[in-house]
């Protein structure tokens, strides 16, 4: 390895790369960890990149995977840069000491975006603050949408998850040359990135690659295979081709993305519906990841930091005016939420009793958030109480209507709140001390496994960031009303994993959701993040 203050060079197993110093941190961007997933490699598992001669330039972000753009309603809040090119299976490294021997902790970041959007080039994910504080930050790109998570009879499932595993393997083999310690790797992700993190932790092939993990606003899960198949079949119908990987590989990429965007237009965390997701495949995902981690003994010894934002649902409902529409729907929306969450009438009645001033949208949003995030993360923490820390992000955005919404915490975790892309969600003037407190907790966890508050246990210690208490103070214990809300799910033995109350009724969720979707069909914009 050779390095100077203007031109750091590091040798990887596939060739040397040249980065650059930016404000005292060495940055390497666009390093390939796998070959371009196109041509004969399209819809196939990743393979190693071709070695190169000489020194490869790694100063700019590499190509981003194919993806449709956000709608105008969502683009107002979320940034998603596009870098053209086919060599999209690449990663970036920020390090304060680009050389062997430093043995610094490593944090590997998996971006969110509903497995259909996002990339490592999103400015909010700048790794310089982590490197400034002694942590090597690695962020990766992986295949998205039908390219990464389509389910076909003639191709392996979970190609995007296999990309992430290939990147983790690259980190294990290569990060020492960049100053990182392959024995102190923290895998972290938000939303779809957190779901992916859970699946990778449970994967037998990843054992020994991860020491700690962070799950932000996403719980381990396996999607229903039929829902994913329906996405593929509906795309095939629009494209007038067979629902096979071979046929899809012959379709123009832009046409494929357009069909994907149209088919997924009405899917959302709140409304449900067909969507792309990680599925049990008998190989990389041999069983439901939540069961494997909470009850099956997967990833022994791996420490967990996990949590959510107080008002996750507001990013799903505020763009496009869905919040007001759900309020107007009233009982119809509640029926859809009960079908989505597979619960009885006692659950929304209990939420209403605990929140008498809340509108329908808030009741529906909190029900779905509990179903998708808080309950499974509680279950995961209960199953791994000796090595779990839980938080809630409660600071409300300065922009109207968003509250403490999904993805708002990212600028605080990365300590990048000063950039315009963070202000798109937070507004201008977000509290600097909150970013310092939250970023410091993530640095501590990646460094020694202790973010600064008590582990999970019977008292349910939850660190609340931005909830009114001193941001560098101790955790708030338990939830009070929130714990009672969560208890409603099991008051009649009807947890969120239970089947419909009447198993003879055909697809109750679909029947109820169709009623809601018909009334929301005129709402503009995407429904997913």
């Amino acid at each position: 390895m050779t390095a100077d203050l203007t031109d750091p060079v590091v040798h990887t197993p596939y060739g040397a790369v040249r980065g650059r110093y930016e404000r005292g941190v060495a940055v390497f961007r666009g390093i390939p960890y796998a070959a371009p997933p196109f041509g004969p490699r399209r819809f196939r598992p990743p393979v190693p990149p071709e070695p190169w001669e000489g020194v490869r330039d790694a100063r700019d972000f590499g190509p981003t995977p194919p993806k449709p753009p956000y709608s105008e309603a969502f683009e107002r809040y979320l940034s998603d840069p596009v870098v053209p090119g086919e060599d999209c299976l690449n990663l970036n490294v920020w390090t304060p000491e680009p050389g062997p021997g430093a043995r610094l902790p490593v944090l590997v970041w998996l971006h969110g975006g509903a497995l259909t959007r996002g990339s490592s080039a999103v400015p909010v994910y700048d790794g310089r603050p982590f490197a400034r504080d002694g942590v090597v930050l690695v962020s990766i790109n992986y295949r998205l949408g039908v390219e990464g998570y389509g389910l076909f009879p003639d191709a392996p499932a979970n190609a995007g998850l296999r990309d992430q595993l290939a990147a983790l393997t690259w980190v294990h083999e290569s990060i020492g040359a960049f100053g990182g310690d392959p024995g102190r790797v923290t895998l972290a992700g938000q939303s779809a990135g957190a779901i992916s993190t859970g699946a990778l932790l449970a994967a037998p092939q990843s054992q020994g690659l991860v020491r700690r993990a962070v799950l932000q606003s996403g719980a381990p899960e396996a999607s229903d295979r039929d829902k994913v198949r329906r996405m593929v079949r509906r795309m095939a119908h629009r494209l007038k081709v067979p629902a096979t990987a071979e046929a899809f590989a012959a379709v123009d990429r832009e046409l494929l993305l357009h069909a994907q965007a149209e088919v997924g237009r009405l899917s959302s965390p709140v409304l449900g519906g067909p969507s792309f997701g990680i599925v049990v495949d008998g190989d990389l995902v041999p069983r439901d990841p939540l069961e494997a981690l909470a009850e099956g003994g997967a990833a022994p010894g791996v420490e967990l930091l996990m949590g959510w934002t107080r008002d996750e649902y507001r990013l799903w409902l505020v763009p496009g005016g869905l919040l007001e529409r759900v309020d107007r729907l009233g009982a119809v929306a509640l029926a859809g939420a009960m079908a989505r969450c597979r619960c009885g009438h006692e659950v929304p009645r209990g939420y209403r009793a605990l929140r008498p001033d809340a509108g329908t949208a808030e009741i529906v949003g909190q029900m779905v958030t509990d179903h998708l995030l808080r309950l499974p993360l509680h279950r995961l923490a209960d199953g791994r109480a000796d090595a779990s820390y839980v938080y809630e992000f409660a600071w409300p955005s300065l922009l109207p209507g968003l509250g403490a919404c999904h993805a708002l915490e990212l600028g605080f975790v990365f300590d990048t709140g000063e950039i315009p892309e963070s202000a798109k969600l937070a507004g201008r003037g977000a509290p600097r001390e909150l970013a310092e407190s939250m970023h410091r907790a993530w640095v501590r966890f990646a460094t020694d496994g202790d973010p600064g508050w008590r582990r999970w246990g019977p008292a349910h210690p939850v660190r609340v960031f931005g909830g009114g208490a001193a941001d560098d103070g101790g955790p708030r214990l338990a939830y009070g009303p929130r714990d009672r809300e969560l208890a409603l799910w099991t008051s009649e033995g009807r947890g969120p994993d239970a089947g419909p109350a009447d198993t003879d009724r055909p697809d109750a969720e679909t029947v109820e959701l169709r009623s809601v979707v018909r009334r929301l069909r005129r709402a503009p914009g995407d429904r997913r993040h």
Side-chain angles (χ1 to χ4, degrees), residues 56-197:
R56 183 185 181 114
D57 183 82
R59 288 174 287 190
D60 298 315
F61 284 114
T64 52
K67 56 189 174 177
Y70 280 120
S71 69
E72 184 177 347
F74 273 78
E75 194 278 333
R76 174 183 174 186
Y77 299 107
L78 303 171
S79 297
D80 196 8
V82 172
V83 181
E86 292 200 341
D87 207 357
C88 61
L89 299 185
N90 59 68
L91 51 77
N92 319 295
V93 181
W94 285 261
T95 175
E97 297 185 46
R103 309 293 288 183
L104 297 170
V106 180
L107 191 145
V108 178
W109 178 252
L110 304 179
H111 67 80
L115 299 177
T116 58
R117 295 178 175 88
S119 79
S120 65
V122 172
V124 177
Y125 306 149
D126 190 312
R128 194 194 71 82
F130 275 101
R132 174 200 67 198
D133 295 331
V135 176
V136 177
L137 192 286
V138 181
S139 61
I140 76 168
N141 287 330
Y142 54 94
R143 279 174 282 183
L144 302 168
V146 71
E147 301 270 2
Y149 297 92
L151 195 54
F152 299 100
D154 56 338
N158 299 317
L161 191 69
R162 295 174 193 275
D163 294 342
Q164 296 168 4
L165 178 62
L168 264 182
T169 302
W170 184 97
V171 168
H172 185 75
E173 296 172 348
S174 308
I175 204 62
F178 292 83
D181 183 349
R184 283 202 292 168
V185 171
T186 297
L187 181 62
Q190 184 266 348
S191 192
I195 295 170
S196 301
T197 295

Side-chain angles (χ1 to χ4, degrees), residues 335 339-340 500-502 505-514:
R340 177 84 172 102
D502 183 354
R505 294 174 58 191
D507 200 356
E509 178 181 350
T510 298
V511 171
E512 296 288 358
L513 289 176
R514 281 176 181 164

Side-chain angles (χ1 to χ4, degrees), residues 340-342 351 366-376 489 496-497:
R340 177 84 172 102
C341 300
R342 299 184 178 183
Y351 277 62
Q366 293 292 1
M367 280 177 60
V368 174
T369 299
D370 285 349
H371 170 68
L372 295 177
L373 295 175
R374 295 190 186 101
L375 279 159
W489 294 97
D497 296 319

